[in-house]
Amino acid sequence: MTRPWRVTVVGSGPRGLMVIERLAARLAGQPAGRPVELCLIDEVEVGCGRIYRTDQPAWLLMNTPAGMITAFSGPPDDGPARAGAGPAFAEWWSAGPPGYPGPEGYAPRAIYGRYLRFALDAVARGLPPQVRLHRVHSSVRDLRPAGGGYQLVLADGARWESDRVVLTTGHPRPPAQGARTDLARAAARRPGLRHIKGDSPADMPLDALPAGAAVGVLGLGLSFFDIMAACTVGRGGHFTKGAGGDLRYHPSGAEPVLVAGSRGGLPLMAKGDNRRPPGFSHRPVLFTPQRVRDHASGPLLDFRTDVLPWLTAEVELVYHGTALRQARGERAASVFTDEVIRSAAGSVPDVRSTAARHGAPELPPVDLEALARPFAGLDFDGPKAFDDHLVEVLRTGVREAERGNVDSPLMAALDVVRDTRWVLRACVDFGALHPAAHRDDFLGRFIPSSNVLLAGPPPLRIRQLLALMARGLVRVVGPEASAAADPGSGRFAMFSPRVAGSRVLVDTVVDARVPGTDLGRDPAELTRNLRARGLWTEFVHRAGDDTFATGGVAVTTAPFHPLSREGVPDAGLYVLGIPTENTRWFTQVGFARPGPWGDFIRDADAIAAHALDG
């Protein structure tokens, strides 16, 4: 009897599921000459993983509209849902669980988890007769080469042999004390103090936060909004609509008071309402990999001088083109765009001057860093002065977001940055930038600013935040926020050095910052064993005297084999997603888009093709 060929995927979040989907699609399209066994392993919930597990509360939302998500590599046809042909998320939701808000609505993460499990079931039902899928609910403690393949050791000590192994382990759990060991140690020494380390909000002990108490929150990103929802709607409060789109919050009396802050002092800004046709994505005409390379200053790119000017030109082209279209019509915008493209043959074009010559309305420059840090260099004489400024920034931002990404020049321009992430990856991944440019200019400056503007929640969340601030249930202390043990009171202090009188004493500090990828700090037993055996090594970016230890797993280009300490790829292993962050960029994305394949599906397919060619 012929031994089955085994391919194992460790981690069944969206990336792991897409690898299984592409393996199944390839096996259906070109049957293998022998039996094949696929194995999908997850320690939390097989099919959707930890982040999208189906038992989390409904107030934890995704931050991407339902209509822009699919778990299948092709649209449905006349046959049953199966690998390569299945409904996108919005289509499935509209015919399934209640509460579908339309394709532009935002789903609870648990609903998306149910969709992912539906997709896995559909893939399993459509497998050819010689293919079998094993679903294993367990963690993997160890992995070692064995007999030309690999042996995996599961949590209960069971062994599993596999010819190929795909590691899509996703978001790491935080170290035992979290990122702020000083706060954890202070809480351990002083009765009554508590430090909640950064993690997925669904896994945080937020129910333990006492009603009416001031609670410090470090970070104003997506996890902050999840914590905000859990402590309000999750405790029985509700919102009602008022005049002009404003919301009013009706408390249950069980809420704590959140005292939050971050380095910039600004919560993530609302994502623009999507008004674009289904499947639309901006196709760059200025910011392309070839243009960047053709005008580069050297073999390693400098982000500020080689990459950012072309991205800025593309952003300004859409920004001013949108304003010109609204003011003078489609024809005027088209003539403007054509002239800008013609002028880009030798150097980065002056888009702003060209727009002015074509009669475009005068607009402020699109300065991502200035937009993301409106309080930079400012000092405030008290909390009210800062609150007034913050509320005005939030109100202006949410009104612009609600105009949508077709009518708002700014929202249309910011969508350009989202839609050209693939170009950024081509300019950044696998050490394409100079180490200093990668570390300081790209990761240190551009990414924090762009995340504030691009990675935010739906406008509803900003409206809710404003209502909670008005109720006194959320307070942002200001920029350069800090949390520290206060020896005089025996408590923690939250404060901003830029806002006079901002100091607030709290007994609990919640770290709302998502742990970054760092092989050296990842507490997972599997990660530690992979590193000890040299199967996973850190990508260290070197050029001359400059060295940047990225924290991500060193891998080849597609199909993403991990590299040994000697730089030799392990051809039977594949690493995809968050463990490789900083070797590759923007691996956190948790979905494919309907329509033409993007990197999410292409990456999975490259692995599937290689893993079956054994």
Side-chain angles (χ1 to χ4, degrees):
M1 182 176 178
T2 304
R3 182 182 72 81
W5 182 257
R6 281 185 172 177
V7 181
T8 298
V9 178
V10 181
S12 72
R15 284 193 184 272
L17 178 60
M18 184 55 73
V19 173
I20 290 288
E21 198 265 8
R22 288 310 305 156
L23 286 164
R26 283 182 167 273
L27 288 165
Q30 187 174 358
R34 56 180 167 178
V36 175
E37 291 187 352
L38 307 178
C39 180
L40 184 60
I41 303 176
D42 198 280
E43 67 173 325
V44 176
E45 188 171 353
V46 179
C48 57
R50 179 168 78 104
I51 302 303
Y52 299 108
R53 68 175 199 245
T54 58
D55 64 349
Q56 59 189 303
W59 53 78
L60 298 178
L61 301 179
M62 300 185 70
N63 73 319
T64 299
M68 299 176 69
I69 298 170
T70 188
F72 293 93
S73 57
D77 55 19
D78 293 335
R82 64 196 184 280
F89 180 39
E91 184 179 355
W92 170 85
W93 191 10
S94 67
Y100 176 62
E104 308 312 327
Y106 292 78
R109 289 202 281 270
I111 295 291
Y112 182 46
R114 289 173 62 180
Y115 168 68
L116 294 174
R117 292 194 58 164
F118 157 81
L120 179 60
D121 289 343
V123 167
R125 286 193 299 269
L127 290 173
Q130 278 195 304
V131 182
R132 185 180 175 194
L133 173 66
H134 301 271
R135 309 183 205 202
V136 179
H137 184 196
S138 182
S139 62
V140 177
R141 291 168 40 200
D142 200 2
L143 182 154
R144 59 174 68 95
Y150 304 89
Q151 183 185 79
L152 293 84
V153 181
L154 305 184
D156 62 359
R159 264 62 172 171
W160 179 264
E161 309 293 331
S162 191
D163 297 285
R164 299 285 186 266
V165 179
V166 186
L167 297 162
T168 56
T169 50
H171 285 280
R173 293 186 184 273
Q177 291 189 319
R180 288 294 302 271
T181 56
D182 59 326
L183 299 181
R185 287 195 297 267
R189 289 194 304 265
R190 300 178 185 180
L193 295 191
R194 184 166 194 178
H195 168 247
I196 297 177
K197 61 189 178 182
D199 200 353
S200 168
D203 293 328
M204 289 179 171
L206 300 177
D207 289 345
L209 300 179
V215 173
V217 182
L218 281 173
L220 293 170
L222 290 174
S223 292
F224 161 74
F225 287 100
D226 287 341
I227 293 165
M228 181 186 84
C231 291
T232 53
V233 175
R235 295 197 175 194
H238 67 280
F239 294 90
T240 56
K241 286 187 177 180
D246 288 343
L247 298 181
R248 182 179 181 187
Y249 182 68
H250 303 270
S252 68
E255 300 88 349
V257 177
L258 302 182
V259 182
S262 68
R263 182 174 58 178
L266 180 67
L268 296 187
M269 298 298 282
K271 189 170 291 181
D273 283 340
N274 185 43
R275 303 279 191 265
R276 305 189 305 186
F280 178 87
S281 181
H282 175 74
R283 296 177 63 86
V285 293
L286 301 176
F287 182 47
T288 65
Q290 191 60 52
R291 279 194 195 271
V292 172
R293 282 290 171 195
D294 287 348
H295 296 86
S297 56
L300 290 180
L301 298 175
D302 183 289
F303 184 74
R304 284 185 297 173
T305 60
D306 295 331
V307 180
L308 189 56
W310 288 103
L311 172 59
T312 301
E314 189 79 43
V315 166
E316 289 183 337
L317 181 67
V318 171
Y319 182 56
H320 293 291
T322 301
L324 193 56
R325 171 176 55 81
Q326 292 178 336
R328 303 189 59 188
E330 292 285 355
R331 173 63 180 164
S334 179
V335 171
F336 157 70
T337 298
D338 289 344
E339 181 177 334
V340 171
I341 294 171
R342 287 195 301 271
S343 69
S347 61
V348 179
D350 186 345
V351 179
R352 191 173 181 82
S353 295
T354 306
R357 288 200 305 275
H358 282 258
E362 187 172 349
L363 296 172
V366 184
D367 184 332
L368 297 183
E369 189 164 355
L371 288 169
R373 301 200 177 279
F375 314 123
L378 299 180
D379 291 300
F380 299 88
D381 59 12
K384 185 180 185 306
F386 173 73
D387 288 350
D388 289 346
H389 195 160
L390 173 60
V391 166
E392 181 56 33
V393 171
L394 292 173
R395 286 191 182 282
T396 301
V398 76
R399 284 195 294 264
E400 199 69 18
E402 288 167 347
R403 289 181 65 191
N405 56 6
V406 171
D407 292 334
S408 163
L410 179 59
M411 293 298 111
L414 293 179
D415 264 9
V416 170
V417 185
R418 291 189 188 92
D419 290 342
T420 59
R421 280 172 174 150
W422 66 273
V423 184
L424 278 169
R425 284 194 287 267
C427 298
V428 170
D429 288 359
F430 304 108
L433 290 176
H434 190 280
H438 190 184
R439 178 186 60 240
D440 302 331
D441 299 328
F442 183 67
L443 295 176
R445 295 176 67 90
F446 176 78
I447 293 304
S449 296
S450 63
N451 282 348
V452 170
L453 302 173
L454 303 174
L460 172 66
R461 283 292 197 233
I462 303 300
R463 292 286 188 187
Q464 290 175 342
L465 171 59
L466 287 165
L468 292 169
M469 291 175 66
R471 269 282 181 181
L473 291 171
V474 174
R475 175 180 165 190
V476 178
V477 295
E480 300 177 26
S482 182
D486 181 61
S489 65
R491 304 173 73 190
F492 292 125
M494 291 284 299
F495 61 94
S496 164
R498 314 306 302 229
V499 180
S502 62
R503 186 181 186 85
V504 178
L505 296 177
V506 300
D507 294 320
T508 300
V509 173
V510 181
D511 196 336
R513 299 166 300 179
V514 176
T517 300
D518 187 346
L519 281 183
R521 289 176 54 82
D522 188 340
E525 186 176 4
L526 176 60
T527 300
R528 295 200 307 269
N529 287 329
L530 289 169
R531 292 183 65 231
R533 287 199 171 84
L535 296 174
W536 274 13
T537 60
E538 182 179 12
F539 173 49
V540 180
H541 192 3
R542 294 185 175 91
D545 295 333
D546 197 1
T547 299
F548 173 35
T550 66
V553 178
V555 293
T556 65
T557 56
F560 315 113
H561 300 303
L563 297 170
S564 71
R565 297 185 185 100
E566 294 74 32
V568 178
D570 191 319
L573 291 180
Y574 315 85
V575 190
L576 189 60
I578 288 171
T580 67
E581 183 68 19
N582 298 335
T583 305
R584 308 177 69 203
W585 173 64
F586 203 64
T587 60
Q588 307 95 325
V589 62
F591 58 89
R593 285 189 179 190
W597 284 10
D599 288 345
F600 193 92
I601 299 178
R602 282 195 294 266
D603 290 353
D605 187 63
I607 291 174
H610 190 274
L612 293 173
D613 188 21

